Amino acid sequence: MLFIIVHQTFELWFKQIRWELEAVNRRLSSTVLADREIGKIVSGLQRIARIQLLMFEQIGVLETMTPLDFLDFRDRLVPASGSQSVQFRIIENRLGLRDRVTVGRQPYTAALSPEHQAMVARSEQEPSLFDHVERWLDRTPFLHVGEFDFWTAYREALHDLLGRERRTIDASGDLDDHARAELRARSEKIFSAFETLFGPEADQESMTAEKRRLSQKALLAALLISSYPDEPALQLPSRLLTALIDVDIGFATWRYRHALLAHRMIGGKIGTGRSDPSYLEAAIDQHRVFRDLSDLPTYFLPRHALPALPPDVLEQMRFRYGDD
Ligand code: HEM
């Protein structure tokens, strides 16, 4: 009974998440996004993040069942499995998941009925949350305003910071030569990754090597928004980026909790859906949709080191009331 109740409750919450995701995607599909809409999009994503908290808790309810209790009825479940949750697959697709861990070279829809396969195929075809967010970021103004070029200004500031960091590493007496060389190499690597990802020379090869998915312009826009989140025009966009990270990490956390649950119930046995025990663990890492946003802090500068925005850019970013 408990097993069924918990699964069905999950399916209900999946349904609500699908509903919220569709509303968010509909709003984001507009080519001109009013501030009012961004507020609603953020609220929708925050609701999903709250539901995810419930989902983690629910796993704890199922964990009151022991592995022996589970073995009492496990055979009767075969070949039923969580991979038959059509709603879960639709959620993944509507978020924008593409690069999946495969199970025995089978398509990820193999466990579904033909009717459910058609539903999942449809959910792949429409633009996903990832697609909408990328297009919205691509349209972000303020990257070039008059003489101001955000990338050039940011690059100089990052260069200065890394130069200071390097001098500190060289001067630190508690490091031996090997540790010092390792730290310097790490710092150089961050800078060259920044150059190849954000600079004019960036190419598809370096994007792939760094496992980036967002376009270069979208990444730069996300860096700008995240660096100046208190500027009035960037306040809502920055909350939107935070909410996307919350939801993405929420699903990764659910996957992790679920993989731990599966491990404590069945150890290293093959799943009822015939997956290898490593599948669930590999998916935690690989099935991230907005990893680019979580990776971005690698290039963050402390507030005091950020390039100052020129007055005309600040003017464009402020709220306006009446004739002021
Ligand atoms: C005794 C408890 C559970 C065990 C042992 C378990 C085990 C597994 C295993 C081994 C897989 C990989 C596919 C397979 O070979 O079957 C899987 C997938 C899945 N399970 Fe569970 N599960 C449990 C509970 C749940 C619950 C409560 C849910 C809630 C809906 C759930 C949802 C899913 C989903 C959505 C997948 C597909 C995940 C993916 O492909 O990334 N499972 N589960």
Side-chain angles (χ1 to χ4, degrees):
M1 183 58 129
L2 178 72
F3 191 79
I4 292 168
I5 295 282
V6 172
H7 273 81
Q8 291 195 349
T9 315
F10 264 109
E11 288 296 331
L12 281 174
W13 285 123
F14 287 165
K15 190 165 197 162
Q16 186 64 34
I17 290 177
R18 278 180 65 193
W19 182 269
E20 300 297 339
L21 257 182
E22 286 317 318
V24 165
N25 277 336
R26 226 176 7 256
R27 290 185 200 286
L28 269 169
S29 65
S30 163
T31 42
V32 182
L33 203 56
D35 294 344
R36 186 179 293 123
E37 292 298 297
I38 304 188
K40 289 179 187 151
I41 291 165
V42 171
S43 302
L45 292 171
Q46 284 175 337
R47 183 172 292 156
I48 295 177
R50 287 304 294 257
I51 294 172
Q52 288 172 325
L53 294 182
L54 282 178
M55 286 167 43
F56 310 151
E57 281 297 307
Q58 256 171 234
I59 286 186
V61 179
L62 200 53
E63 280 169 343
T64 60
M65 175 178 80
T66 69
L68 279 183
D69 293 339
F70 184 47
L71 278 181
D72 284 344
F73 63 92
R74 183 170 189 249
D75 282 353
R76 279 186 274 152
L77 296 176
V78 180
S81 150
S83 0
Q84 288 169 332
S85 171
V86 63
Q87 299 211 92
F88 192 73
R89 296 295 176 227
I90 292 175
I91 290 171
E92 289 179 331
N93 285 339
R94 303 304 294 129
L95 284 168
L97 179 65
R98 289 289 175 270
D99 181 22
R100 292 170 184 274
V101 181
T102 47
V103 178
R105 300 210 193 123
Q106 295 269 5
Y108 74 96
T109 51
L112 302 176
S113 66
E115 187 199 341
H116 284 171
Q117 285 182 355
M119 285 167 72
V120 173
R122 268 198 305 281
S123 72
E124 264 184 3
Q125 282 149 16
E126 293 157 28
S128 65
L129 181 61
F130 179 91
D131 299 328
H132 289 307
V133 167
E134 183 173 53
R135 283 175 208 165
W136 167 71
L137 284 170
D138 274 340
R139 297 195 302 268
T140 303
F142 312 122
L143 290 175
H144 307 277
V145 180
E147 300 283 290
F148 175 71
D149 175 55
F150 174 65
W151 184 76
T152 310
Y154 201 91
R155 178 181 183 277
E156 274 172 26
L158 186 64
H159 204 269
D160 286 350
L161 184 87
L162 290 177
R164 279 199 299 279
E165 201 175 277
R166 213 168 295 151
R167 284 192 291 279
T168 315
I169 295 170
D170 288 346
S172 48
D174 58 331
L175 295 173
D176 61 27
D177 287 350
H178 179 70
R180 190 171 293 121
E182 270 190 354
L183 282 176
R184 284 199 71 158
R186 177 80 202 122
S187 159
E188 299 290 344
K189 196 165 172 249
I190 291 176
F191 190 64
S192 66
F194 177 79
E195 294 266 307
T196 48
L197 288 172
F198 296 89
E201 308 298 321
D203 53 27
Q204 196 50 50
E205 210 178 304
S206 38
M207 295 287 280
T208 314
E210 292 290 328
K211 296 194 180 151
R212 294 281 181 215
R213 211 178 142 193
L214 277 174
S215 76
Q216 189 199 35
K217 195 160 177 234
L219 267 181
L220 257 186
L223 189 61
L224 174 91
I225 294 168
S226 313
S227 298
Y228 304 93
D230 303 326
E231 295 309 325
L234 303 184
Q235 288 174 10
L236 270 175
S238 122
R239 287 181 51 210
L240 174 46
L241 295 186
T242 303
L244 288 166
I245 294 171
D246 286 343
V247 168
D248 196 38
I249 290 183
F251 278 113
T253 309
W254 184 82
R255 286 183 196 279
Y256 183 59
R257 286 291 282 114
H258 169 266
L260 288 176
L261 164 74
H263 187 244
R264 80 186 269 169
M265 291 297 166
I266 61 172
K269 290 190 176 94
I270 302 289
T272 47
R274 302 200 186 90
S275 79
D276 187 80
S278 63
Y279 166 76
L280 292 176
E281 277 173 27
I284 301 167
D285 191 48
Q286 196 168 317
H287 292 186
R288 295 281 300 277
V289 177
F290 292 99
R291 177 186 292 279
D292 286 349
L293 297 180
S294 305
D295 279 346
L296 217 50
T298 310
Y299 308 106
F300 278 8
L301 293 168
R303 281 192 169 94
H304 67 82
L306 281 172
L309 296 174
D312 54 336
V313 176
L314 287 172
E315 176 63 22
Q316 287 185 33
M317 285 185 176
R318 75 186 182 94
F319 292 136
R320 281 185 180 68
Y321 300 97
D323 296 332
D324 106 273

